[in-house]
Amino acid sequence: MAALFLWISVLALLALWSLTVWAGHAAAVWAVSNAGALSGTAADIAAIRLPPWLEFWVPREVLEWLPRMLADLAPLIDSLLQAVPALAGGLTALAWGVWVLGGLLLVLLGIGLQLLVSLRRSRLPGGGRSAGVQGLSALAGRWMRQRTAR
């Protein structure tokens, strides 16, 4: 019974793992496929300002340097955003690899727990039956013998 519960739990964890990898893959493919639509917006990033409450804590030199750096990086960011949709096919292979690795770890976990359960059973007296059940059956047998002896 313990082995059945153990393997049902492992299968439930495998199903949860599969759902997680599938959802992560879908979100990543969506983000990568739509990254090309963001190209051209990197030039607007220099116009982003820090909130006034944060400007108080940031040194003045950094406040002057940050917009210039972001403006210099805009062409690089645009070219990266245009190249990203080509990576969507590689995400599928990566997701399968991650799923197989996680699935193997879960199956190995199940095998290890199955070995622990079987070792525990073999070390119990009476071939794996617990002492409580043996004590109860011995008590019932003694009661039956007393009832029939009268």
Side-chain angles (χ1 to χ4, degrees):
M1 189 62 146
L4 178 66
F5 177 72
L6 179 129
W7 284 107
I8 287 174
S9 299
V10 168
L11 287 176
L13 285 173
L14 187 61
L16 183 64
W17 173 246
S18 298
L19 181 67
T20 303
V21 171
W22 173 74
H25 173 260
V29 167
W30 175 80
V32 167
S33 297
N34 291 324
L38 296 175
S39 65
T41 60
D44 299 334
I45 202 163
I48 297 175
R49 294 183 42 93
L50 291 176
W53 61 269
L54 187 59
E55 285 182 359
F56 177 74
W57 297 100
V58 177
R60 180 67 47 202
E61 295 83 21
V62 173
L63 290 175
E64 295 169 358
W65 168 75
L66 191 61
R68 284 193 313 252
M69 183 196 66
L70 291 175
D72 291 341
L73 287 177
L76 175 67
I77 293 171
D78 274 338
S79 65
L80 287 175
L81 286 174
Q82 290 173 357
V84 166
L87 300 175
L91 282 176
T92 301
L94 180 67
W96 273 107
V98 168
W99 180 82
V100 166
L101 182 65
L104 283 175
L105 288 175
L106 283 171
V107 169
L108 288 175
L109 174 74
I111 291 170
L113 290 174
Q114 176 70 37
L115 288 174
L116 284 175
V117 166
S118 63
L119 282 174
R120 183 176 165 262
R121 272 196 192 148
S122 66
R123 291 187 180 175
L124 285 175
R129 292 176 45 191
S130 68
V133 172
Q134 285 179 348
L136 186 60
S137 64
L139 182 64
R142 206 173 324 130
W143 181 79
M144 289 298 288
R145 282 192 299 274
Q146 288 175 355
R147 294 291 275 166
T148 57
R150 290 185 190 174

